[in-house]
Amino acid sequence: MHRKFVVQLFAEEWGQYVDLPKGFSVSERCKVRLVPLQIQLTTLGNLTPSSTVFFCCDMQERFRPAIKYFGDIISVGQRLLQGARILGIPVIVTEQYPKGLGSTVQEIDLTGVKLVLPKTKFSMVLPEVEAALAEIPGVRSVVLFGVETHVCIQQTALELVGRGIEVHIVADATSSRSMMDRMFALEISSDAESSVRFFVITLHLFYTWTQRDFEKS
């Protein structure tokens, strides 16, 4: 078992602790804490449909004007969900405070998803999500995408890794208001033993899965 620590700063505006990116300095007095992560040192393996779940995080209408390249990540998210439907991979979707921020954008087709849940915390790892994962036998990996990279995506990745689940973040299907926030978050997530992939790599994995199934038939 390997132990790592994440440094977190208490954000007054959000009323909770958030992770500090590597190299970030604090010039004012504030509350910080160290959060231990106990993780098994393993090499991130290839994705297989039978042991994978897709997490789509907060792709909501009110974020459209604020998030960098939002249209691009919607396009990639659409293709990810199409691939999930073809391969029979469960999909879990969250919406951050939908009463105020709206529902998932219309371009994202939620046909056949396992869960669509509202949330008011950053992480997608809600009790209902944990219960859903427990119902799916042999879950080993989560493919994670959505917004914002430095808040909800990062917190979700760290919590899943801490629970022993491999996390594969699709880099071109996640973004933030600031590209610097996005960059630091992907770096922290990668350091925490999660994998940061681009859609083209995930697409190649789709092809590999399909070929395996074809050869078995």
Side-chain angles (χ1 to χ4, degrees), residues 9-16 18 122:
L9 167 74
F10 186 79
E12 297 288 349
E13 58 185 311
W14 294 320
Q16 59 183 298
V18 296
F122 291 148

Side-chain angles (χ1 to χ4, degrees), residues 14 25 36 83 89 133 157:
W14 294 320
S25 61
I89 298 171
L133 290 176

Side-chain angles (χ1 to χ4, degrees), residues 30-85:
C30 58
K31 292 195 293 185
V32 296
R33 69 180 183 183
L34 289 176
V35 179
L37 290 175
Q38 286 192 343
I39 54 177
Q40 194 73 32
L41 277 180
T42 57
T43 301
L44 285 168
N46 288 325
L47 296 167
T48 54
S50 60
S51 62
T52 299
V53 178
F54 279 21
F55 276 28
C56 176
C57 183
D58 306 350
M59 300 278 278
Q60 292 159 257
E61 191 59 45
R62 287 288 294 275
F63 289 124
R64 190 186 295 269
I67 300 298
K68 299 289 187 183
Y69 306 110
F70 194 69
D72 293 336
I73 66 171
I74 287 176
S75 177
V76 178
Q78 286 175 310
R79 286 179 281 170
L80 285 166
L81 294 184
Q82 288 170 1
R85 282 192 293 272

Side-chain angles (χ1 to χ4, degrees), residues 195-214:
S195 167
V196 177
R197 299 180 183 271
F198 286 94
F199 173 72
V200 67
I201 304 299
T202 310
L203 185 65
H204 172 71
L205 291 169
F206 285 166
Y207 175 77
T208 303
W209 290 337
T210 306
Q211 285 296 102
R212 284 183 194 152
D213 292 342
F214 177 77

